[in-house]
Each structure stands twice: as C-alpha cells, then as structure tokens.
Amino acid sequence: MAERVIPLIDQRSRPLDVPRAAQPFLAPGHLVDTRGRPLRDLRISVTDRCNFRCSYCMPKEVFDKNHQYLPHASLLTFEEITRLARLFIGQGVRKLRLTGGEPLLRKGLEALIEQLATLQTLEGDPLDITLTTNGALLQRKAKALKAAGLNRVTISLDALDDTVFRRMNDVDFPVADVLAGIDAASAAGLDRIKVNMVVKRGTNDHQILPMARHFRGTGITLRFIEYMDVGATNGWRMDEVLPSSEVVRQLQSEFALIPLEPTTTGETAERWGYAGLDGKYDPALGEIGVISSVTHAFCGDCNRARLSTEGSVYLCLFAGQGYDLRSMLRGGASDDEIQEAISAIWQGRTDRYSELRASLPEKSPQKSSRRVEMSYIGG
Ligand code: SAM
Ligand code: SF4
Ligand code: SF4
C-alpha cells in the first residue's frame, strides 16, 4: 500500500505583524470586527502536547517521536497569559476557555486558573472560566481545578464502546478512565458539564444512540460535533462528515426532542431538549446539542479569538497565520500599546471560512496545507 504523505507546514515561524490601530480607539467593550461581531470569547492554548493521538486531530503518522514540540521558553508563562487575558477582557471578553493540545498536561495549570480567577469582566462580573480536556487526567485533577477557580469543564469523548474509543484515541486509552474523570468533575462540583463527541461517518456514528442513552438524565449535556477540515494533517474527506441533521434524525428514532432557544448569542450548538411523557421539554432529562460546523456555518455570530501556545492571536479556527503578541509582551510594550494592537487586529477581522468553504477553490490558501493545526491553537 502506498504510504500516505501528509504535509505539515509549520506556520509557527511566520507570525503576522501586529497592525497599528486602523480606526479610532473605541470605548472598552464596544469593539467590533468588519462584520459587526464583538469580541467575547478567548480560547487559550496552554500546550501543543497531547497524550492522545486522535486521528482527526494529531494523527500518529505525523505527530510521531520525531515531531518537534515547542520548547518551554516559547510557551507563554502563566503571568504572560494572565496579562493578555486581562487586556482581552478590557476589549470585551467575558469567557475564557483553556485548551490545547491537552491542557491538563501543562504543569501547575491550577496556578494559572488561580491567577485568571482574580480577573473580572468589564461589567465587574466574575469571568466564566472553562476548560476542554480529553479527560484522561481529570480523575486526578478535578478537585484541585475546581478549588483553583475553574467553573466548568467540557470533556471530549467519541465513543462508549471501549474498542472503538481505544482505536479513536490511538493510544489504547480505556473509556472507563474518561468516565471516571467525568464522575470526578461532577463530584468536585464543576458546573454544567458538557461532553463533546466528534462524529465520523463509518467510524463512530453507531455510538450516537449509546452515548445519548448514557448521558440522558445525568445533568451532563452531550454535544455532537461535525468532523471538520481543520489543520492540514487529518486527511479530511467530506464523505466522512455525518451532518448534524442525520444525528438528530437518529436521535429522534428513539427519543422525543424539542428544539430549545440558544442561551447566548454566538452559541455554537443548536440545542434540543428531551421531552417527558407530557410531550414538553423535561429539564430533568436534559438536552443535547449539535454543532454543525461544516453543514451550517455560524460565522455570522463568531465572537471567538484564539491565543496560541506561544502567544499569537488567531482570528479563526481555519486561519493560516496569527498575530504575534508575545514579541510585544517580551519587547516591553505597555498595556495601552497591547490593548491598541488587540483592538486593531479585531477591527480588521474578516474571517468567515465556514461560510465560504463550499465556494472556495480546492487550491485556495484557506483550503490548502497552510492552515494551522487545531492542537496548536486549541479547539
Ligand atoms: N485535548 C483536548 C480535548 O480533546 O478535549 C482539548 C483540545 S481539542 C483540539 C478540542 C476539541 O476539538 C475536542 O473536543 C476535539 O474533539 C475537537 N476536535 C479536534 N479535531 C477536530 C476535528 N477535525 N473536527 C471536529 N472537532 C475536532
Ligand atoms: Fe489530543 Fe484533544 Fe487533539 Fe485528541 S482532540 S489529539 S485529545 S488535542
Ligand atoms: Fe468562527 Fe472561523 Fe469557525 Fe467561522 S469558520 S465560526 S469565523 S472560527
């Protein structure tokens, strides 16, 4: 069989220059991009390493023993992350999500959460601090994370069947340990726990109903994510995407579902509630979500910026390059200068890849190997 060669172009050496403020400096919190979208959500990647090798994200044949991870000195320190988070909050951010790679691999993460938990939104409210994890280390760490000030957690779990799950994480990790991590998160008092399942047609679509049965009525919200063409290494094919409409159809073959309103603007998931015997939504049975990143673009409401492990800002999950804020931090820039840079970067934002996906030519830069990896900027 011919070997599959997957290009891994390293964008990390080519950050974009930070633009100077193009438009007048706006009152804090009123910043919008070229499409009128505010900045509300900052996703922070704290490591580019992971203990799993999910084929849709960090395929083993690319992320092997020869793969060069970032040296420790390149990573933003906790103090640098907290300073940038504070400055992003000064531009309207209300929610922080720690991600990676696998964020629980970053040593002493609790200390970062403690620092972030001291920050407040522009309105003086507590921040919403959450984390996305594969759950492998959650059993050990849930209590300390909660004590440090983490509010919520999202755990990725692609199957309940142990064989399917071990194959998908590709490091033979057992499903029972992730389930124990979810239980530990719940016991630690972490709120509104979510479980994310990436659905790949022909790989784990037969796990949709078992996953729904398992989490229904537990207070945990299960969300089904369409397999996306992020990065340049996962060999993505449209025929492996199972549209959310099909996920909902499968669920409706067994459960009565009622459409629910979005809780916030910019919410990525379409919500469906389980109906009780009276045919009405029963909060005790809970809800599911579907995230249709491929078949139903939600760029119009996208209020998320992503901070890479080494301090570059990416304006879209499908961006090829980021804006280097670490040089500003380490070059002695003042808070005002960095705030102005964030403001100018966001004001110039035009990104809406998912809306354009179908109409972009296959050879366009956005569709080619120039895209940054998800394990580098975080999901
Ligand atoms: N390691 C952590 C985890 O897996 O939860 C955090 C980082 S991971 C990059 C964040 C999220 O991105 C996970 O829920 C993962 O399932 C999702 N993800 C990664 N690659 C994806 C892809 N190609 N399509 C859709 N979701 C993907
Ligand atoms: Fe690791 Fe998360 Fe990517 Fe899986 S999805 S390889 S757990 S970073
Ligand atoms: Fe946001 Fe880019 Fe995703 Fe559109 S494609 S929703 S702009 S991250």
Side-chain angles (χ1 to χ4, degrees):
M1 199 175 86
E3 201 180 321
R4 189 158 66 113
V5 178
I6 307 174
L8 177 62
I9 294 197
D10 194 339
Q11 295 299 323
R12 298 182 292 217
S13 53
R14 291 200 283 146
L16 294 166
D17 289 335
V18 173
R20 299 163 74 98
Q23 293 169 42
F25 193 66
L26 294 166
H30 288 79
L31 185 65
V32 288
D33 70 6
T34 60
R35 307 184 71 79
R37 298 170 293 189
L39 171 58
R40 293 284 178 258
D41 183 338
L42 180 65
R43 301 187 171 202
I44 304 171
S45 174
V46 294
T47 177
D48 60 337
R49 290 163 197 262
C50 188
N51 44 1
F52 282 12
R53 285 292 175 275
C54 309
S55 60
Y56 53 70
C57 178
M58 293 181 79
K60 231 179 199 168
E61 58 269 43
V62 179
F63 294 87
D64 59 10
K65 61 180 183 342
N66 298 320
H67 180 72
Q68 300 247 314
Y69 292 97
L70 294 168
H72 192 73
S74 296
L75 270 52
L76 291 187
T77 64
F78 291 168
E79 287 67 30
E80 288 171 331
I81 292 175
T82 307
R83 181 173 176 211
L84 282 183
R86 176 169 57 77
L87 299 174
F88 271 93
I89 290 164
Q91 294 297 341
V93 162
R94 294 174 186 160
K95 177 172 156 192
L96 301 178
R97 177 176 295 278
L98 301 179
T99 175
E102 174 45 44
L104 298 187
L105 289 183
R106 180 81 187 252
K107 232 167 135 194
L109 188 72
E110 300 81 0
L112 172 63
I113 293 171
E114 265 173 29
Q115 291 181 30
L116 295 174
T118 62
L119 304 174
Q120 288 189 329
T121 68
L122 277 174
E123 294 78 24
D125 297 322
L127 274 182
D128 185 14
I129 307 179
T130 181
L131 172 109
T132 306
T133 172
N134 61 26
L137 298 171
L138 199 53
Q139 197 180 3
R140 228 181 298 160
K141 298 197 171 212
K143 244 185 173 164
L145 293 167
K146 169 73 184 168
L150 187 72
N151 305 120
R152 301 194 284 128
V153 69
T154 298
I155 299 116
S156 305
L157 178 63
D158 296 331
L160 264 195
D161 179 283
D162 197 48
T163 310
V164 176
F165 183 63
R166 285 178 193 254
R167 204 183 308 132
M168 288 187 78
N169 64 55
D170 216 7
V171 293
D172 211 25
F173 196 84
V175 78
D177 289 15
V178 178
L179 293 175
I182 297 173
D183 288 345
S186 187
L190 286 161
D191 212 15
R192 291 173 286 157
I193 297 175
K194 291 181 186 144
V195 168
N196 278 353
M197 169 178 177
V198 175
V199 183
K200 266 184 99 172
R201 194 198 288 275
T203 302
N204 64 340
D205 44 344
H206 59 298
Q207 290 294 295
I208 293 170
L209 283 170
M211 287 280 285
R213 287 180 204 125
H214 183 85
F215 289 108
R216 183 169 174 261
T218 60
I220 291 169
T221 300
L222 174 61
R223 304 189 314 169
F224 301 92
I225 306 181
E226 285 177 353
Y227 168 44
M228 286 186 283
D229 48 337
V230 282
T233 61
N234 64 9
W236 182 86
R237 295 201 328 249
M238 185 65 200
D239 60 6
E240 287 183 310
V241 178
L242 188 81
S244 294
S245 54
E246 285 191 37
V247 172
V248 172
R249 223 179 1 252
Q250 271 202 38
L251 293 168
Q252 284 175 326
S253 70
E254 184 165 326
F255 306 109
L257 293 174
I258 312 279
L260 301 177
E261 291 295 317
T263 38
T264 49
T265 32
E267 182 164 280
T268 48
E270 178 187 299
R271 302 169 60 216
W272 292 83
Y274 288 109
L277 290 175
D278 60 359
K280 294 198 183 116
Y281 167 51
D282 180 354
L285 294 175
E287 61 181 86
I288 59 108
V290 287
I291 303 183
S292 316
S293 337
V294 177
T295 61
H296 193 262
F298 37 78
C299 303
D301 285 333
C302 181
N303 54 20
R304 295 178 290 282
R306 294 178 159 83
L307 184 62
S308 78
T309 318
E310 52 186 346
S312 289
V313 186
Y314 286 79
L315 299 176
C316 176
L317 197 47
F318 298 90
Q321 285 166 291
Y323 296 89
D324 177 18
L325 291 183
R326 189 188 62 189
S327 304
M328 293 190 80
L329 284 172
R330 296 190 181 171
S334 68
D335 282 0
D336 281 353
E337 284 166 339
I338 299 176
Q339 288 249 25
E340 257 178 58
I342 294 170
S343 166
I345 291 167
W346 192 261
Q347 284 180 36
R349 180 180 187 242
T350 57
D351 304 66
R352 54 185 188 112
Y353 173 78
S354 285
E355 282 180 1
L356 301 174
R357 177 188 281 107
S359 59
L360 286 171
E362 280 314 311
K363 290 216 172 337
S364 66
Q366 293 102 316
K367 278 203 171 171
S368 73
S369 53
R370 289 191 43 207
R371 279 200 301 245
V372 73
E373 293 300 317
M374 196 159 177
S375 52
Y376 173 64
I377 52 169

